[in-house]
Amino acid sequence: MSRRTPLSADAAKALTLVALAGAVMLAAIWAVTLGSARTSMGDVVGALIAFDGSREHLVIMTLRLPRVLAGLLVGAALAVAGAIMQAATHNPLASPGLMGINAGAAFAVVMVTTLGGATSGMAMVGSAFGGATAAAGIVLLFASAGPAGATPLRLVLAGAVLTAFITSLTTAVLIFDQSTLDQVRLWSAGSLSGRTQAQVAGVAPFILAALGIAILLRAHITTLSIGSDMARAVGQDPRVWRGVVAMLVIGLAGGAVALAGPIGFVGLVVPHLARFGVGVDYRWIIPFSALAGALLVVLADAAGRTLLASQSFPVGVTMALIGGPFFVWLARTRTGGAS
Amino acid sequence: MRRVILLLMVLLMALATASLSHGDYPVPWRELVDVLMGRPGASPQAQMAVLDLRLPRLLLALLVGAALATAGAIVQAVMRNPLAEPGILGINAGAGLAAMVLLVALSGLSPAWLPLAGFAGAAAMAGLIYALAWRGGTSSLRIILIGIGLGSVAGAGATLLTAFGEIRDVQRAMIWLAGSVHHADWQTVETLAVWIALPLALTLAIAGELDVIRFGDAPARSLGQRVQLARALLIVLCTLLSGAAVAVAGLIGFIGLIAPHMARRLVGPTHWRLLPVAAFTGAALLAAADLLGRTIIAPAQIPAGVVTAMIGAPFFAYLLWGRRHAAA
């Protein structure tokens, strides 16, 4: 890579962000036009600006827009949550799932389904969010016990322990209850199909608030990523900030899993993509991750819908199938030789 | 160290006695001794229950637990990451995908192929990750990252089969994926014992290399280690151990992650102590998990892999937050 002066490097990063934001807009509008009844990009913009109640506009607003909006929210939320987790734990393997969020959500959904029979979409969203929050809360509580507080290693280990514990309970239920397995297996692959306006509106405030706070606090998160000794030296109390970070991750990843089920790839990989693109500074990584995550999920969902012509094809699968090889290529070309 | 080993041995003996005598057909311990010593006093039912069913199952659990724990200790040192477990080398992803394909996509095929398919999947995945991570040498970070990328592709394949496969096949596959030793027989035990004996011994023989590589590539090199060679050898050992364990018992997670941490709490980070203690811990964990899994809601059986996490997690939490080792 060529050496640039700091100012022009920042300008280049800002330009990348603007271009990425444009790409997200275009991809979102294009994704809304896809479906069994063809609509043009003009129709989509028309429905957004001047809704006239026609059948086309109704299809766009009630069926397709919620799905695309859900994709945008979920992608941005997971990517930022992943970036924050990796910053706070100094671990490139950290992902939002590590705080037990996906495991808690899955357990809650499985329990509600197995005890209450068939469940509505709204009940699924509610139980997933509840389960995610409860699990992450327990992890945080366990990790904070003791004089040292929630050090990254304790947080990560507590998360791994709780995740393993809850997942084994979920597996035990699913092995004996075939009808629940049948009902939740599409959800547990991570899918955006059939999202409604009400579901999106119910979860969006949590995700948007947490996203806003994360972007406002991005300088503090950068400090946190340097290590607790350094952070203390510049006047940051790591214990307080780790609590703040945990709340952010719960809002983001909990909201995401409530909307789309456990999607694994985004939170782990997008922060690495961001690091390849804009370096190690979390002031840039966080906005970059938000946009890249949103773009990735919307495109993956659209690709699944068009290439495979199946409305219910799980976005989690498409994303891993496209993103996995790409990530391998990046890891091969962008990490230095034999060190 | 000696006290810890002694304690673990006593624990293992107690576990073994309990495993051999408990079950649908209880065998009192006096009769159990008769059976094991080959004395004529024991009833044929007791002989069959103990020698043909419970003993191979117990031994298989011990072997698998020891193999997974050792593999976990290796991978945590090589990757320098406390979250690392054998799955990071693609073992679980490869074996899981192979098993899903065999059980769901090719459900006509005999499940007897399962161990072979599992090991082949695991070894192929580990080999592919290592090959892709090679650019005039490997680095731990690159292995981890490429493992994540390939692992998620394989995981997506498995998820797809889960989401759209025949529900009965999916459920069968889930039981295998959960990890269990219920199908143990003497032939499996012997094969696994022979298979893992050499890697286990070799790992212990080069325990010093693990102590060195843990510090990072540059310090290890300046300490005179041939880092690339050591890392390659250790990864092969880890693949042989955990691949074999996964092939016979399915995806038993958690032991590879937790047993090394427990051992570290008990005897510190030096590997010639840590490895045997981790192996004993892993063996005890899996044997206990299997005993609980088959007795707790008998006659139904919970797969051992499910129980491992249920009992391992609280125990690990106790170790992590227990008073005695608070400083560590």
Side-chain angles (χ1 to χ4, degrees):
Chain A
M1 234 190 251
S2 65
R3 287 188 184 280
R4 301 191 190 95
T5 59
L7 187 70
S8 73
D10 274 3
K13 286 174 192 168
L15 218 61
T16 318
L17 275 187
V18 172
L20 204 57
V24 171
M25 290 277 287
L26 277 179
I29 295 175
W30 171 70
V32 177
T33 65
L34 299 174
S36 45
R38 281 274 161 195
T39 44
S40 69
M41 283 198 165
D43 291 333
V44 177
V45 176
L48 286 175
I49 297 169
F51 181 69
D52 62 8
S54 69
R55 193 176 168 280
E56 267 171 11
H57 282 193
L58 267 176
V59 166
I60 287 170
M61 293 304 280
T62 56
L63 294 179
R64 297 191 188 161
L65 195 62
R67 181 172 187 153
V68 172
L69 283 179
L72 288 172
L73 285 171
V74 166
L78 285 175
V80 171
I84 295 175
M85 281 295 287
Q86 290 177 8
T89 60
H90 322 295
N91 196 322
L93 281 184
S95 69
L98 215 59
M99 282 189 60
I101 283 173
N102 290 348
F107 180 64
V109 165
V110 165
M111 285 319 282
V112 167
T113 314
T114 196
L115 296 177
T119 44
S120 69
M122 211 58 197
M124 222 130 163
V125 169
S127 53
F129 198 61
T133 315
I138 294 173
V139 166
L140 193 62
L141 207 68
F142 263 117
S144 322
T151 61
L153 182 61
R154 278 162 155 269
L155 194 69
V156 154
L157 286 176
V161 167
L162 191 81
T163 300
F165 186 70
I166 304 182
T167 307
S168 71
L169 289 180
T170 312
T171 310
V173 173
L174 289 181
I175 282 177
F176 293 111
D177 186 349
Q178 188 171 302
S179 76
T180 302
L181 173 62
D182 202 14
Q183 281 186 56
V184 302
R185 57 185 177 154
L186 187 60
W187 178 86
S188 63
S191 170
L192 290 170
S193 78
R195 288 307 96 111
T196 63
Q197 274 175 329
Q199 287 169 351
V200 174
V203 177
F206 293 98
I207 294 183
L208 288 176
L211 271 179
I213 297 171
I215 288 177
L216 285 177
L217 296 180
R218 62 194 190 280
H220 286 281
I221 293 166
T222 308
T223 315
L224 208 58
S225 75
I226 301 169
S228 57
D229 291 342
M230 285 290 281
R232 213 171 284 125
V234 298
Q236 194 187 47
D237 183 348
R239 278 171 305 179
V240 174
W241 282 97
R242 285 192 201 115
V244 173
V245 155
M247 299 310 287
L248 282 179
V249 171
I250 292 173
L252 291 167
V257 73
L259 260 186
I263 297 183
F265 190 74
V266 189
L268 193 57
V269 167
V270 172
H272 288 287
L273 292 180
R275 230 166 273 132
F276 291 134
V278 295
V280 296
D281 185 345
Y282 278 87
R283 281 173 298 174
W284 291 101
I285 290 179
I286 286 178
F288 190 94
S289 293
L291 291 171
L295 184 66
L296 199 64
V297 170
V298 166
L299 283 184
D301 188 40
R305 278 191 290 158
T306 47
L307 299 180
L308 300 155
S310 161
Q311 290 296 314
S312 63
F313 197 82
V315 62
V317 171
T318 326
M319 188 135 39
L321 289 180
I322 305 169
F326 177 61
F327 186 68
V328 167
W329 174 76
L330 266 185
R332 256 185 77 72
T333 50
R334 292 298 180 86
T335 54
S339 65
Chain B
M1 166 80 176
R2 213 172 292 156
R3 256 178 46 209
V4 171
I5 292 272
L6 202 68
L7 203 74
L8 282 168
M9 292 295 266
V10 171
L11 186 69
L12 273 182
M13 290 304 288
L15 264 173
T17 315
S19 297
L20 292 178
S21 62
H22 278 276
D24 290 345
Y25 181 86
V27 180
W29 67 271
R30 205 179 289 273
E31 199 175 2
L32 182 64
V33 174
D34 284 348
V35 171
L36 291 177
M37 303 300 272
R39 283 190 213 134
S43 69
Q45 289 96 324
Q47 283 195 350
M48 198 195 80
V50 172
L51 293 180
D52 294 346
L53 298 175
R54 291 183 196 158
L55 193 56
R57 183 165 177 164
L58 171 72
L59 291 176
L60 192 67
L62 294 175
L63 289 173
V64 168
L68 287 174
T70 308
I74 296 175
V75 87
Q76 285 179 5
V78 172
M79 298 302 159
R80 300 189 278 279
N81 196 312
L83 272 188
E85 54 154 344
I88 218 173
L89 296 174
I91 310 283
N92 293 351
L97 181 59
M100 286 302 286
V101 168
L102 187 72
L103 289 175
V104 178
L106 310 168
S107 56
L109 248 62
S110 156
W113 289 100
L114 207 47
L116 200 62
F119 186 78
M125 195 69 171
L128 191 60
I129 291 174
Y130 190 83
L132 282 172
W134 183 271
R135 273 185 65 216
T138 58
S139 82
S140 296
L141 178 65
R142 199 155 56 231
I143 291 177
I144 289 179
L145 292 178
I146 288 178
I148 292 172
L150 285 185
S152 56
V153 174
T159 306
L160 202 57
L161 288 169
T162 310
F164 297 110
E166 176 66 39
I167 185 75
R168 227 172 316 120
D169 296 335
V170 170
Q171 202 178 20
R172 233 158 36 106
M174 275 198 68
I175 295 175
W176 188 84
L177 289 177
S180 168
V181 288
H182 73 268
H183 47 266
D185 55 43
W186 280 108
Q187 204 201 335
T188 317
V189 171
E190 280 161 18
T191 316
L192 185 66
V194 172
W195 183 269
I196 66 172
L198 192 62
L200 278 179
L202 202 55
T203 310
L204 200 59
I206 60 168
E209 304 290 325
L210 284 168
D211 292 328
V212 176
I213 204 168
R214 196 165 59 93
F215 290 125
D217 282 18
R221 207 171 296 123
S222 62
L223 284 169
Q225 187 180 46
R226 294 169 69 187
V227 178
Q228 293 299 337
L229 186 68
R231 180 159 43 218
L233 181 60
L234 288 167
I235 286 178
V236 168
L237 288 174
C238 178
T239 308
L240 287 177
L241 286 171
S242 54
V246 164
V248 298
L251 304 188
I252 296 184
F254 209 61
I255 289 187
L257 177 68
I258 291 310
H261 281 285
M262 288 181 171
R264 219 166 283 133
R265 298 267 149 180
L266 292 170
V267 294
T270 314
H271 278 90
W272 71 267
R273 294 159 167 233
L274 186 141
L275 286 170
V277 173
F280 275 118
T281 314
L285 255 178
L286 191 53
D290 187 46
L291 174 62
L292 273 180
R294 71 187 168 84
T295 50
I296 214 167
I297 53 165
Q301 301 203 347
I302 309 176
V306 171
V307 188
T308 334
M310 283 190 203
I311 60 166
F315 185 43
F316 184 60
Y318 163 75
L319 273 187
L320 205 54
W321 286 273
R323 243 155 225 258
R324 280 175 16 148
H325 301 283

